[in-house]
Amino acid sequence: MAAHAAAVHHAEMGWIRTYIFSTDHKMIAKQYLLNGLFFALFGGIIALVFRSHLAMPEQELLNPARYNAYVTMHGTLMIFWVAMPILLGFFGNLTIPLMIGARDMAFPLLNMMSYWTFFISSVVIMASFFVPGGPFSGGWTAYAPLSANTELTGVNWGINLWAVGLALEFTAVLMGGINFIVTPFVLRARGMSLMRLPIVVWMVVIASLLFMMSVGPLIAGTFMLLFDKNVGTHFYLVSADKVGDPLLWQHLFWFFGHPEVYVILIPGLGVISEIFPAAARKPLHGYKHIIFWTIFAGILSFMVWAHHMFIAGLNPLAAVGFSITTIIISVPFLVIVVAMGLTLWGGSLRFNAAFLYAFFAYVIFIVGGLTGLQLGATVADIQLHETYFVVAHFHYVIFASVILSTFAAVQWWFPKMFGRLMNEGVAKVHAISTFFLFNIVFTPMFILGFAGYTRRYASYDHIPLLQGYAWLNDFVSIAGVLLILVQFLFVFNFFYSMIAGKRATANPWEATTMEWSAPSPPPHLNWGDTIPVVERDPYEYAPEVPSNGADYEPQGRLMTMR
Amino acid sequence: MPIMPDISTHGWWLDWSLLIISMVTLLVGILSFALIILALIYFRQSKNPTPTRHLSGWITRLIILDISMIIFDIIIAVFSTWGWAETILKSEESLEAKHGEALTVNVTGRQFFWAFDYAGGDKAFGTADDFTLGNDLVVEKDRLVVLNMTSGDTIHSFFVPHLRVKYDVIPGRTTRVWFVPKKAGEYPVLCTELCGLGHYKMLSNVRVLEPDDFDSWLDSRTVTLSENPGPLRSGGPGQSQTVHVSDSKDGSLGARADRNVGVTPRSQ
Ligand code: HEM
Ligand SMILES: [Cu+2]
Ligand SMILES: [Cu+2]
């Protein structure tokens, strides 16, 4: 195992083993991050293209088939090739070994294979842009029969590559997930009990478990989709004698889909909960409550999936049950959100850029959660289902948990990746302008949803009913383009700081958890000639008896090996 | 509210539950943000240099919050379930008992148009006076309308904003919606389930006629069609005559044009 002493004095490794086929969790974290950020930018630019098309359809930037394809790929890439690699692959790899005081993941080779499988899946999904017929255009939810019959969309290879790419991506995340689950249980440093694990580690573990438990049926479902499409089976396609049921796909998809949205939520909440105590200079409020209620929400997330299907043709009585479980899920999130709020309350807030990002994520997430409740109410959902209201709802949640907490995490852990600090000023300008623009892009969408703006329409100009709000939709498009453009501030800051940022000390934020005891950046196998030993809870800010004159107590210390 | 005016009898349930739920959510949101902003103002480093490690009394506050959240949840659950029971869950018998005999129309969604099958004057399907409309759904004011919907190709969704009706239309299954229009006029139908490249053009209208106009319209239909016999119910899956997407990859497919395929052009 990686932790034995001999490994510490490892030989100098070659360039390829250091940067390409690396088994070092920090390098794999960076690979996942860069790959995810690439797709974030790419997915953002796709959105920029289709929103420009909506704003000026007469320019014919896209034809309707391409419009659908771009909307589909935007959703697909953002969920599976941005949220998953960053929230699990990046957060998990960067934080787990450093925070628990391990030298690497439990299975470093599997970890490397996880990233490279993910890389292959990225190539496959990118290839779908270049095949005849273009990429898949049936929506990221890929409802059958549209996804199972080439005649219906005119897309053939696009669908095959979409399904294969997805299956590969799932495999990659499963391989990573094994590490994320096993490592915190077997490689914790001395003194690191489970109830001393930093919250983000717990969140990645819970998210990996949710993913592992929900994805199986969908992988099978994806293959059934490929069979229906290419082999002529009738799982989803209705045959002449009425075999096959399109609703089966929706059940399989959403049985995975709702746990999945928690998979890409809770690691984000974990990052927010890491940064809040350090910014407020007081312990995280209700550490155990957060963990237990998150587990509860995770379990409940397996019982709510049909809230995506209230009016999809399932027995309307079932909708009532799913509506009630959906509404109950607000209770755990209330506790979590309040715990985070109470962490700030009474604190001594340091407004550094990472805190700004995390704070904006927190605020935006609250709006997303509350509007989810509105959608969970069966009768209200009749009018709101498949309108821009839903689009606004999930962007409020996902932008918070994925995009803003990624910015927060990168800003926060940049020293542990590159030994430098990101520029605070640029980051603050970026955080504030992103927050501002995000809200003016997505708040109007709630109104558009009420007004009857259905989603996934290649144009609204020919519908007299909707012309009253056409100006608002145009406004959204323009603000959306600006929102994507200001993201280049981050791109610039990231690469500039990587090369020329201020050198970071080991613990620039005066934070407590173990990674801040390691040098910035930590060497291969993290702890050099020392052994980390954990002595107390993770967030000992404002200790009653300060031992070293500082306003915080590091969670542990490094003992010298003889 | 930006929501379209409601011309149905049951729309009340949607609108009020939507309004109440939105108001309560808005209230919860505003309260939370007020507290958060207070926290930012009072607990910034310059104002509050020494943090309070232990907050006192937070357990009671958390319990109060939890209880208010649960009450809030119960309000939402009760309203939405009640409304659901009064709309989607209503059986055809109880509806007819309340509103009188229904006008039943069989709806078929296809890429990218709607076809509406009427039973004609004898009110029975499968007889010679059945007819199919390829453009609009014509209904009578103040009369219960029951739509039995299915799809000839992929999933569509039948959405009439003014009538507060939205329900998916699925191949191999029949779904049912009902409404009682209270106002004559023309109301757009939108498709709300992505169904291919012409999805956004899959428009139609519900034409609500005054009872007298409706009767004479129905009579005129029956006369025209008796000269031209043969059931015109469009075919089930497999016999679709729609223009296939593969025929028009440029995306120039117009919804109006293909309405005339597979349904009688004589409807108007
Ligand atoms: C507080 C908890 C939440 C509740 C009660 C909730 C409720 C709902 C409901 C009822 C829908 C279906 C709306 C419709 O299609 O008519 C929905 C859609 C959606 N939600 Fe949430 N949600 C919650 C949290 C989240 C989170 C945390 C995420 C992601 C991180 C998320 C992502 C989504 C997505 C992506 C969709 C749309 C899927 C699609 O049709 O494309 N939601 N939500
Ligand atoms: Cu869900
Ligand atoms: Cu459609």
Side-chain angles (χ1 to χ4, degrees), chain A residues 245 330 347 349 385 457 462, chain B residues 22 43 48 73 166 173 191 200:
Chain A
D245 186 353
S330 65
L349 295 172
H385 180 62
Y457 268 30
H462 59 297
Chain B
S22 304
F43 302 116
N48 188 31
D73 282 354
K166 184 189 289 157
R173 284 186 181 227
C191 176
Y200 71 112

Side-chain angles (χ1 to χ4, degrees), chain A residues 414-444:
Chain A
F414 206 74
K416 297 297 150 190
M417 287 189 282
F418 301 109
R420 295 175 187 271
L421 289 165
M422 290 215 357
N423 186 297
E424 282 281 309
V426 177
K428 281 181 185 167
V429 172
H430 172 241
I432 292 169
S433 54
T434 300
F435 176 70
F436 181 70
L437 284 166
F438 172 81
N439 280 296
I440 66 173
V441 173
F442 288 96
T443 315

Side-chain angles (χ1 to χ4, degrees), chain A residues 285-346:
Chain A
H285 204 98
Y287 169 86
K288 283 186 184 160
H289 294 256
I290 295 182
I291 294 169
F292 289 136
W293 283 101
T294 305
I295 294 174
F296 176 73
I299 295 169
L300 212 56
S301 76
F302 285 92
M303 302 173 203
V304 299
W305 78 88
H307 64 212
H308 299 273
M309 303 165 63
F310 286 152
I311 53 174
L314 99 162
N315 183 338
L317 263 180
V320 173
F322 282 106
S323 162
I324 288 169
T325 49
T326 302
I327 291 169
I328 293 175
I329 248 182
S330 65
V331 176
F333 283 108
L334 171 85
V335 177
I336 294 167
V337 163
V338 170
M340 291 172 164
L342 288 175
T343 304
L344 300 184
W345 198 266

Side-chain angles (χ1 to χ4, degrees), chain B residues 221-243:
Chain B
R221 293 279 338 161
T222 317
V223 173
T224 352
L225 279 150
S226 54
E227 294 158 5
N228 183 6
L232 291 159
R233 176 131 168 71
S234 34
Q239 357 167 184
S240 155
Q241 297 174 50
T242 47
V243 180

Side-chain angles (χ1 to χ4, degrees), chain B residues 142-209:
Chain B
D142 293 328
R143 170 152 171 215
L144 173 65
V145 181
V146 173
L147 305 180
N148 293 315
M149 311 189 292
T150 191
S151 164
D153 40 43
T154 185
I155 301 176
H156 306 275
S157 190
F158 188 81
F159 178 33
V160 193
H162 294 91
L163 283 169
R164 305 295 188 264
V165 163
K166 184 189 289 157
Y167 219 88
D168 282 9
V169 176
I170 307 149
R173 284 186 181 227
T174 305
T175 47
R176 192 210 65 181
V177 291
W178 67 273
F179 55 87
V180 182
K182 288 193 303 196
K183 224 172 125 201
E186 246 190 53
Y187 306 99
V189 177
L190 307 170
C191 176
T192 48
E193 190 62 65
L194 180 60
C195 57
L197 67 82
H199 169 53
Y200 71 112
K201 283 191 174 169
M202 190 163 161
L203 303 172
S204 178
N205 283 300
V206 177
R207 261 200 296 147
V208 182
L209 302 181

